[in-house]
Amino acid sequence: MTTLSKRLCLSAMLALSTFAFAATASAETSKLVIESGDSAQSRQNAAMDKEQWNDTRNLRQKVNKRAEKEWDKEDVAFDARDKCQQSANVNAYWEPNTLRCLDRRTGRTVAP
């Protein structure tokens, strides 16, 4: 009978400790942890995002400058073509491949 009572006592203690462990485990999961978001990882991610933004901004600026330069070139050529075609010099003609006003007789550049 002593072994039976020992077994019952041990199983009762085991049941109580299991219940106590389950209660503490559920208490731990009910906690809510709020971080400020200011961690080393978030600062590093922000720095990398800023660096990438600056790189793409520089690239966009280069592309825009190049497009503006090409547009300016076309604009100047358009004005030069108009001046060449309206020139009083009958031997002047517009060469579209070189974008210049040339003399028909000599092939030299003409200032309209």
Side-chain angles (χ1 to χ4, degrees):
M1 184 101 164
T2 58
T3 54
L4 182 61
S5 64
K6 285 182 184 177
R7 284 184 184 173
L8 285 174
C9 183
L10 283 173
S11 23
M13 287 175 53
L14 184 61
L16 285 175
S17 65
T18 305
F19 180 75
F21 178 75
T24 58
S26 66
E28 291 295 323
T29 57
S30 65
K31 290 182 181 178
L32 178 63
V33 178
I34 300 174
E35 294 183 10
S36 67
D38 189 27
S39 65
Q41 182 68 37
S42 67
R43 285 192 300 270
Q44 183 179 3
N45 288 343
M48 288 170 50
D49 288 345
K50 183 178 180 182
E51 184 178 340
Q52 183 173 358
W53 172 259
N54 288 339
D55 289 345
T56 56
R57 189 175 118 243
N58 290 339
L59 185 60
R60 285 192 311 270
Q61 286 176 342
K62 286 180 182 180
V63 168
N64 289 341
K65 284 179 186 176
R66 181 71 177 169
E68 185 177 348
K69 193 175 182 181
E70 291 295 322
W71 187 85
D72 288 344
K73 208 187 292 186
E74 290 175 13
D75 190 41
V76 168
F78 185 79
D79 291 343
R81 186 188 73 191
D82 282 348
K83 287 179 185 176
C84 184
Q85 290 173 345
Q86 295 171 1
S87 173
N89 185 349
V90 292
N91 290 321
Y93 76 100
W94 180 251
E95 175 60 41
N97 293 334
T98 60
L99 302 177
R100 294 184 301 171
C101 188
L102 302 175
D103 189 325
R104 291 183 202 281
R105 294 175 288 162
T106 63
R108 292 187 181 160
T109 304
V110 176

